[in-house]
Amino acid sequence: MSDEAQTVNLKSKEGDTFAVPVEVAKMSELVKSMMDEDDVDEIADIPLPNVKAAVLKKVIEFCT
């Protein structure tokens, strides 16, 4: 399956989860390195404990 068809869940500081395409998630070097450590198919949520939900939502809107 290509990266474009897959999604990954980004979890904010408050615990809100956002499903985003893998290619969008990999725009972040932090998320990309976390995904490279594990098999993408096995990742349920990628925790981002320093990112507020409102900020994460705006970043996702900008990147998509």
Side-chain angles (χ1 to χ4, degrees), residues 4 31-32:
E4 295 171 10
V31 174
K32 184 178 179 180

Side-chain angles (χ1 to χ4, degrees), residues 6 11-12 23 26 28 31 33 36 47 55 60 64:
Q6 294 179 329
K11 191 171 186 179
S12 71
E23 75 174 16
K26 285 187 174 182
S28 163
V31 174
S33 67
D36 288 344
V55 173
I60 293 168
T64 52

Side-chain angles (χ1 to χ4, degrees), residues 18-29:
F18 300 88
V20 297
V22 170
E23 75 174 16
V24 172
K26 285 187 174 182
M27 288 180 180
S28 163
E29 289 298 320

Side-chain angles (χ1 to χ4, degrees), residues 4-61:
E4 295 171 10
Q6 294 179 329
T7 61
V8 65
N9 295 323
L10 303 180
K11 191 171 186 179
S12 71
K13 179 179 189 174
E14 295 87 354
D16 296 342
T17 303
F18 300 88
V20 297
V22 170
E23 75 174 16
V24 172
K26 285 187 174 182
M27 288 180 180
S28 163
E29 289 298 320
L30 173 66
V31 174
K32 184 178 179 180
S33 67
M34 293 173 78
M35 291 174 69
D36 288 344
E37 293 174 6
D38 298 318
D39 185 16
V40 175
D41 294 332
E42 297 178 6
I43 297 174
D45 292 329
I46 295 180
L48 301 171
N50 296 327
V51 182
K52 294 181 180 180
V55 173
L56 185 55
K57 183 177 178 180
K58 289 289 184 186
V59 170
I60 293 168
E61 286 176 13

